[in-house]
Amino acid sequence: MVDSGRIIKIFVISVLVCILLFLIYQTSSYYPRNSISEYYVLNKDSVEYKGSNKQNTEEELWVPDWYNHTDVGGVLHRRLQTVREKCTKYTGYRNQWKDKPRIKQASSGSIKYCYTAKAGSTFWNNLLQAVKKTSKTPAANRTVKLMTVRNPWHRLVSTYIHKFSTKWRSHAQNMCHKRFFKRPSFRKFVKDCVLSRWMIHEYNTHWLPAAERCGICTGELDFIVAVENMKDEAMYILKNSSVSSYEKIYNGIRQSTIRLNEKKKKSTNYQDYYKDLDEKDIEMLTELYSFDIYLFSYPKSPFIFQVKP
């Protein structure tokens, strides 16, 4: 007859060993070994995270490429050239995701837009539909192709605010593939949705780096529009694409797609959302968005403020 005491002892030891192995896995494997640096070989001016994630340093400010420039066409041209030049400085890219990101597009005939979720995609989709329906635009000699980019630190907070304010349970299930008993905090969203999915090479389009979309380095794009300067840049593209009544169309769509907090003229302090994150989480997000930061010259930390006019 088998000694029941011995069986219990073996069972307890087995459980303890499993717990120990789990703890070792959590500390060593939670952060992905196959980091983005394996997929992008960047030059010396690529992203380096330095400093505390708790405060901003006065010495370093983010100066956008459009800052103090009135020549919108020149800004768009220089941005595209800069991105193309930076694209030539890395080699060996391979898709790091289990499923290659799909390219979703909208078109008005003269303008083709490649979607970047939470970077003005709803606005551009509605805008091009309106152009197609109402504008008496002559047949274009060629179609221009554009994409939009946005400060990744702001874009991630925007995703959280938009998707986890109302109907958050369904969004959590779809975006995080897990159930929450209560509305997750931004910290939990970052840890349990963004970073945990990235760890297993899965993504959601709302936080997927913009550089992973639209064949950014294939030379197919004519314009890369910065959300932070979208009105001026969108107006320039519409005008130069011979869209009639472009100002009226732009203003109408802008009013119809504006978010509730913008209507209430409430500004979002993006930095506040990151104050509760661990420094390791900030480092991981910096790594996840390193190619966006590198290509589009966005700030290397959520605590670097934009220079004031």
Side-chain angles (χ1 to χ4, degrees):
M1 182 175 179
V2 180
D3 186 357
S4 60
R6 185 178 180 186
I7 293 176
I8 293 172
K9 186 176 180 181
I10 292 173
F11 174 77
V12 171
I13 292 173
S14 299
V15 169
L16 290 174
V17 169
C18 289
I19 292 173
L20 179 61
L21 290 174
F22 175 76
L23 291 174
I24 293 172
Y25 171 80
Q26 286 290 89
T27 56
S28 63
S29 302
Y30 178 77
Y31 300 103
R33 295 176 183 175
N34 296 327
S35 67
I36 207 166
S37 58
E38 293 184 28
Y39 304 95
Y40 306 114
V41 181
L42 305 181
N43 65 350
K44 63 182 180 181
D45 63 345
S46 64
V47 178
E48 292 181 10
Y49 174 77
K50 294 181 180 179
S52 169
N53 66 321
K54 298 298 181 185
Q55 60 184 358
N56 176 55
T57 55
E58 293 281 340
E59 300 79 34
E60 192 170 8
L61 292 171
W62 173 48
V63 183
D65 58 5
W66 46 265
Y67 179 75
N68 273 351
H69 289 284
T70 56
D71 179 14
V72 180
V75 169
L76 286 165
H77 175 74
R78 286 189 297 273
R79 182 183 300 143
L80 187 64
Q81 289 302 115
T82 298
V83 168
R84 286 176 176 174
E85 288 171 7
K86 287 182 176 181
C87 281
T88 64
K89 294 180 181 179
Y90 84 94
T91 57
Y93 169 78
R94 63 186 176 89
N95 177 47
Q96 67 163 318
W97 310 102
K98 287 182 179 178
D99 298 312
K100 187 175 181 179
R102 290 172 292 179
I103 294 177
K104 185 179 179 183
Q105 297 181 342
S107 176
S108 69
S110 59
I111 303 171
K112 183 178 288 186
Y113 168 65
C114 181
Y115 280 71
T116 303
K118 301 310 300 176
S121 57
T122 300
F123 167 80
W124 276 97
N125 181 54
N126 292 353
L127 177 69
L128 296 187
Q129 286 184 23
V131 168
K132 199 171 185 178
K133 289 178 181 177
T134 65
S135 178
K136 298 177 181 179
T137 304
N141 294 326
R142 62 184 292 268
T143 299
V144 297
K145 185 175 180 181
L146 66 93
M147 72 172 291
T148 50
V149 295
R150 184 180 184 182
N151 184 329
W153 306 107
H154 294 185
R155 183 170 164 240
L156 193 60
V157 172
S158 180
T159 294
Y160 173 74
I161 292 174
H162 183 212
K163 297 299 182 182
F164 287 82
S165 293
T166 59
K167 300 181 180 179
W168 61 266
R169 286 183 175 83
S170 60
H171 290 308
Q173 182 66 30
N174 293 333
M175 296 178 69
C176 312
H177 299 278
K178 67 183 303 180
R179 296 182 183 276
F180 294 95
F181 293 107
K182 63 178 182 178
R183 179 176 175 264
S185 63
F186 180 70
R187 184 174 186 267
K188 198 165 185 62
F189 163 69
V190 168
K191 284 179 173 290
D192 293 350
C193 293
V194 179
L195 297 182
S196 65
R197 304 311 295 173
W198 179 42
M199 182 182 70
I200 58 174
H201 305 296
E202 292 184 355
Y203 68 89
N204 181 275
T205 186
H206 291 89
W207 54 259
L208 178 75
E212 297 277 8
R213 305 188 68 85
C214 306
I216 189 72
C217 286
T218 61
E220 298 176 8
L221 293 169
D222 298 292
F223 297 106
I224 298 172
V225 175
V227 166
E228 297 79 10
N229 193 40
M230 193 159 68
K231 180 176 181 179
D232 289 344
E233 296 179 17
M235 290 284 200
Y236 175 87
I237 294 170
L238 292 172
K239 181 180 179 180
N240 284 271
S241 298
S242 301
V243 174
S244 61
S245 305
Y246 66 90
E247 289 183 284
K248 181 179 179 181
I249 294 172
Y250 176 94
N251 291 327
I253 298 301
R254 179 71 183 110
Q255 286 301 313
S256 68
T257 58
I258 195 169
R259 301 292 181 193
L260 183 60
N261 63 330
E262 291 180 272
K263 287 182 179 179
K264 294 180 179 179
K265 296 184 178 179
K266 289 184 178 180
S267 59
T268 301
N269 190 335
Y270 295 97
Q271 285 79 11
D272 284 347
Y273 285 83
Y274 291 94
K275 288 179 180 178
D276 291 333
L277 266 62
D278 300 330
E279 188 162 315
K280 186 65 178 179
D281 295 329
I282 299 289
E283 289 176 353
M284 283 189 67
L285 289 174
T286 305
E287 189 173 7
L288 171 61
Y289 290 111
S290 63
F291 207 42
D292 279 14
I293 293 168
Y294 169 66
L295 279 186
F296 312 125
S297 302
Y298 279 118
K300 303 172 186 177
S301 159
F303 302 101
I304 297 176
F305 293 92
Q306 180 179 321
V307 64
K308 294 181 180 180

